Amino acid sequence: MSPPATTPPSEAVDGVDGSAPDGPTHPAGPADARGRPGSRTGTALTCALLAVLLAVSVLLAIGMGSAVIAPGDTARYLWAALSGGRIAADEVTAYQIVWQIRTPRVLLAALVGAGLSAVGVAVQAMVRNALADPFVLGVSSGASVGAVAVTVTGGLAALGVHAMSVGAFVGALAASLLVYAAAAGRGGLSPLRLVLTGVAMSLGFQALMSVIVYLAPDSEATSTVLYWTMGSFGAATWGALPVVTAVVLLGVVLLHRRSRVLDVMALGDETAASLGVDPDRHRKELLVVASLVTGAMVATSGAIGFVGLVVPHLVRMAVGAGHARVLAVAPLAGAVFMVWADLVSRTLVAPRELPLGVITALVGVPVFILLMRRRAYLFGGG
Amino acid sequence: MDLELDALSVVTDGRALVRDLSLQVADGQVVGLVGPNGSGKSTALRCVYRALRPTSGVVRVGGDDLSRLTMRQSSRAVAALTQDGTVDLDFTVEEVVALGRTPHLRGNQPLGRRERELCERAMRRMDVHHLARRGVLTLSGGERQRVLVARAMVQEPRVLVLDEPTNHLDIRHQVELLSLLRGSGLTVLVVLHDLNLAAAACDRLAVLSQGRLVATGTPKDILTAELVREVFGVDADVVPHPLTGDPQLLYSLSPSPSPAPPNGRAASCP
């Protein structure tokens, strides 16, 4: 690309342009060595590849487990379920495993992986902290308190099997509201105060949870706590899936639509204001979206750690910092990762299940550290 | 488009940071805001780029009261180079510059052809074009500062406010930036610490002390040894620049900093 032969006369920028605009255009020197797929087509291609990978992963993950079902059969059963086709009598058991048990579970894993990654990206930008994840604002511990309270008191019994999920969701939202109310002050909603309040509140909720468990007459509360703090997709059913799907997809779309706002917010509140972006207003909106999406996810699968912290960083290392790209790639990458993490959690020591949080940490930590050491990755000048 | 601060006051926690500040910057003029640390320069600027709402008083741009415009509307007229130059994420230089178009774009709308050319030109003007694909966090302070100036320029503002824009810049880029401001045709309000550069670059200077405007006028009229001593507590000889005639300050470092002599320097000579 050569400089345009006729430059439009005197833009606002062109005051004393004495020098001819003849510098080389984007020299592909060592500065380019990091080779980011910055173009829109590059991002689209990455997303397409990840989508294919996700589809294949879902198919494989549905087929694998204590009873291994070939991918061809899996696809046939899925097609039969979707199109209302017929299944031979001797295949009914396999079909039921695929359609009733594994499919909702794998889909939920993909959704939660996508949601946690997208929310993680947004929260890190919103509170301007590399250590932030979707749970930094107290959502997960609030959800645990809600779930445990429901278990112990037997409240919300009218809701039947959904009582605990509803309790967790209410707890998550209550926690977000509390954090917001405590963090908001005259000086607006400062990122640091938001994080500190969230961390402090989380510790408070955990203490509250311990008290409830300690005083609870039965031991069910203990296993509930374990379930909620480590996370699992074991309770996935078709019943809960539509709500989670709607909330997560809507949340991801809403966050992606704020890509440029998130970019601007990463330049600091002062600069954001000068660019016409009200940082406090947007932080509030993002907080609402992040809390609702995280609350819905935690209510169905507990607080699965690590994914929302690490996937955003991994994706930024791969595609750069621009949120339009990161928020397109991260949900897909997170979904793929979570599908495989769930598969490992339920097959590694079958028939027992490892807690998901264990897998995500065991797989993610070494990968993360390796990548961070190999590539120059910078966040906040650190 | 002219900029007017009208009886601006900012009070936080019972402390008046800016008191009853009135200042006009005529269309196309470059006005320098000078004063010692904590005199309220940055606070006044923050009201112009709307990071801060004044306790009382009005900021007008082209006659419009800023508080009646949305932040987006005012950001199309006023661009700012803030002191908070930190960037959290490792955007590329061209990404940061492109963010200057935010006030003109809807949502995630991509840049058009003309806007991309605008960014290219701004990067070339600020001598950061060769860094376009570099991550901003890998740049030196001065390089980053120039990237941020380029970002403010692609905003296509009518009014530009800058808070110590020469920070981190080497002398060549300081001179280039200030020449650029002079020739830009923009209405400029700039906080500068270097009084010599301020005298050379600005049509008028406004001197702040403890939140109050204590003097305003052409550099020649107001940059006197008396004012510098009174406001900054520094002894200086003021001499005309041999070429331009702008007042230039020569400082003499006293071995132990002492309060300014009551009768000026001349009195100490026998």
Side-chain angles (χ1 to χ4, degrees), chain B residues 163-182:
Chain B
D163 200 346
E164 295 179 32
T166 50
N167 255 358
H168 305 296
L169 294 189
D170 58 39
I171 189 67
R172 178 188 137 209
H173 286 108
Q174 289 190 21
V175 170
E176 278 184 9
L177 174 63
L178 293 175
S179 317
L180 179 74
L181 291 183
R182 279 219 61 87

Side-chain angles (χ1 to χ4, degrees), chain A residues 109-131:
Chain A
L111 275 171
V112 170
L116 285 176
S117 306
V119 172
V121 170
V123 170
Q124 283 171 2
M126 173 175 102
V127 301
R128 305 184 63 184
N129 195 315
L131 294 175

Side-chain angles (χ1 to χ4, degrees), chain A residues 53-105:
Chain A
L53 186 62
L54 178 61
V56 173
S57 303
V58 166
L59 199 65
L60 289 175
I62 290 175
M64 284 194 252
S66 45
V68 178
I69 294 156
D73 288 336
T74 310
R76 195 155 52 80
Y77 297 151
L78 289 178
W79 177 246
L82 291 172
S83 64
R86 290 183 176 279
I87 295 290
D90 60 334
E91 289 182 320
V92 168
T93 317
Y95 168 79
Q96 291 210 322
I97 290 173
V98 164
W99 184 248
Q100 294 298 340
I101 298 171
R102 288 196 195 150
T103 306
R105 176 174 185 144

Side-chain angles (χ1 to χ4, degrees), chain B residues 151-217:
Chain B
R151 192 216 63 225
M153 286 177 157
V154 301
Q155 213 168 326
E156 293 188 301
R158 309 286 297 279
V159 175
L160 187 57
V161 295
L162 307 98
D163 200 346
E164 295 179 32
T166 50
N167 255 358
H168 305 296
L169 294 189
D170 58 39
I171 189 67
R172 178 188 137 209
H173 286 108
Q174 289 190 21
V175 170
E176 278 184 9
L177 174 63
L178 293 175
S179 317
L180 179 74
L181 291 183
R182 279 219 61 87
S184 65
L186 298 174
T187 306
V188 176
L189 182 61
V190 54
V191 167
L192 287 171
H193 269 307
D194 186 326
L195 296 177
N196 289 330
L197 282 178
C202 301
D203 298 308
R204 282 171 56 230
L205 293 181
V207 184
L208 285 187
S209 178
Q210 297 177 3
R212 285 185 202 283
L213 186 67
V214 291
T216 174

